[in-house]
Amino acid sequence: MSEALTDLETQVRACTLCALVRGRILAVPGAGDPRARVMIVGEAPGKNEDQQGVPFVGAAGQLLNRLLGSIDIPRSEVYITNIIKCRPPGNRDPLPEEVAACSPYLDRQVALIQPAVILLLGRHAVQRLLPGSGGISRIHGTLVERGDRAYVPLYHPAAALYNGFLVETLEADFRRVRGYIDMVESRRAEAAAATPPNEEQQLSLW
């Protein structure tokens, strides 16, 4: 899995599928633990990320690190990415064609990592992975389960930097995240224990 994820990240760095390639310094595929139980999906790289090729390394990233630390989750134990992998000019909103071009990369990242919980930072991430779920002001901090995926929509840390009152909201929502992770992982463990071994597993017992 780690090798497949590394190969995917290499593909992203060389990607030319949309016009953003003309203005980027570096593509930003994602970074973190390939076995992460928590995956974080933001909107798009900013100036610092474009220069370093790593997601969430600016002021919003520092706030994100603090929020993770507040629930005893080191950044090194999560995987962080964005719905698009290159910086839009002037940090504008991603265009539909840009989101579409990057969608296979994000879908593949989710499939490879198989996180217990996916944190969606901001409305664009929510629209991409939870279409039709409603506005983020209504569903932030809640656990939304679709199929075998569990999501928690959250305000983007960058929004909290511009609107200080959102910091307390983010802190409260992250405290809920801790409980959601434990609950989802407990369910997974129970489901795994209740599932009979397949033929290959049975043979390995002999």
Side-chain angles (χ1 to χ4, degrees), residues 99-121:
V99 175
C102 272
S103 286
Y105 296 135
L106 179 60
D107 292 342
R108 185 64 176 150
Q109 286 172 320
V110 173
L112 287 171
I113 295 167
Q114 292 288 319
V117 175
I118 302 174
L119 308 184
L120 304 177
L121 304 184

Side-chain angles (χ1 to χ4, degrees), residues 10 22 38 43 49 57 84 88 111 128 146 161 168 179 200:
T10 300
R22 294 197 292 267
V38 177
E43 175 182 323
E49 292 76 17
V57 292
I84 66 171
R128 166 65 181 84
R146 287 193 178 177
L161 295 177
E168 289 187 5
E200 182 178 342

Side-chain angles (χ1 to χ4, degrees), residues 20-83:
L20 291 179
V21 65
R22 294 197 292 267
R24 79 183 183 206
I25 297 174
L26 293 171
V28 186
D33 187 347
R35 298 168 299 280
R37 55 184 178 159
V38 177
M39 185 172 181
I40 299 174
V41 180
E43 175 182 323
K47 179 180 179 180
N48 292 293
E49 292 76 17
D50 182 48
Q51 293 174 339
Q52 299 182 42
V54 180
F56 283 88
V57 292
Q62 293 173 16
L63 177 55
L64 177 60
N65 293 345
R66 181 167 69 80
L67 291 165
L68 288 169
S70 72
I71 57 172
D72 298 320
I73 297 179
R75 177 173 170 137
S76 60
E77 293 182 4
V78 304
Y79 189 89
I80 306 176
T81 190
N82 289 292
I83 62 168

Side-chain angles (χ1 to χ4, degrees), residues 190-201:
E190 290 173 1
T195 302
N198 58 34
E199 182 177 347
E200 182 178 342
Q201 291 171 324

